[in-house]
Amino acid sequence: EGSRLWCAAWTSTPQDGSGTPIGPGNFEEIIKGKAMDCEDSFGRMCGSFWIYDLDDLEDDVSDGVAAQVDYDAVDWLYNRDIQITLAGLTEETMYEFIYCFAEDDESNGVASSPNKMTYSTGAVDASK
């Protein structure tokens, strides 16, 4: 199914409002909390646009993709590059903590019950 995407970058380990470092219990909140600093190349805030896949032709039409002509007209499609711009970064600064979060539009095609990306440090081969 189609997905929404959020990305953010930090110079040190990101923390939630309680000072807890990013991890399985808070990564979604921390990453989505930086949504105002993330946009696609059309200037739309991350999380406000969809990256569609072919299953969107088969699900509920309320996602705006009811036929092949609709699918062919969308801005972002699966298995294609998407350009994300992060704002508020300081030039010539190393951002070693770059995270993204995605959720799809399951189970009804309009994201009322999305499947969410799980947290991974990337340390395990299967997560890369």
Side-chain angles (χ1 to χ4, degrees), residues 12-23 26 29-30:
S12 60
T13 302
Q15 299 178 352
D16 63 19
S18 301
T20 304
I22 195 167
N26 63 5
E29 171 192 350
I30 291 173

Side-chain angles (χ1 to χ4, degrees), residues 17-100:
S18 301
T20 304
I22 195 167
N26 63 5
F27 74 103
E28 178 181 355
E29 171 192 350
I30 291 173
I31 297 168
K32 284 183 173 181
K34 300 274 284 182
M36 295 296 292
D37 293 333
C38 178
E39 62 184 34
D40 71 359
S41 58
F42 298 103
R44 295 175 296 197
M45 187 172 69
C46 288
S48 69
F49 57 86
W50 288 96
I51 303 163
Y52 292 96
D53 66 13
L54 290 173
D55 287 335
D56 288 301
L57 291 171
E58 300 169 358
D59 66 10
D60 189 303
V61 298
S62 58
D63 64 6
V65 179
Q68 185 70 46
V69 66
D70 301 322
Y71 180 80
D72 293 339
V74 299
D75 293 322
W76 303 115
L77 298 172
Y78 85 102
N79 206 25
R80 306 250 176 102
D81 290 340
I82 180 169
Q83 182 177 337
I84 297 293
T85 301
L86 299 177
L89 305 181
T90 304
E91 187 176 359
E92 297 184 23
T93 300
M94 178 71 74
Y95 288 86
E96 296 184 38
F97 299 87
I98 301 170
Y99 292 88
C100 290

Side-chain angles (χ1 to χ4, degrees), residues 4 50 103-116:
R4 293 187 294 173
W50 288 96
E103 62 185 28
D104 72 10
D105 62 353
E106 293 287 344
S107 63
N108 64 357
V110 291
S112 65
S113 180
N115 291 315
K116 297 180 177 191

Side-chain angles (χ1 to χ4, degrees), residues 2-13:
S3 297
R4 293 187 294 173
L5 176 69
W6 294 261
C7 294
W10 294 266
T11 57
S12 60
T13 302

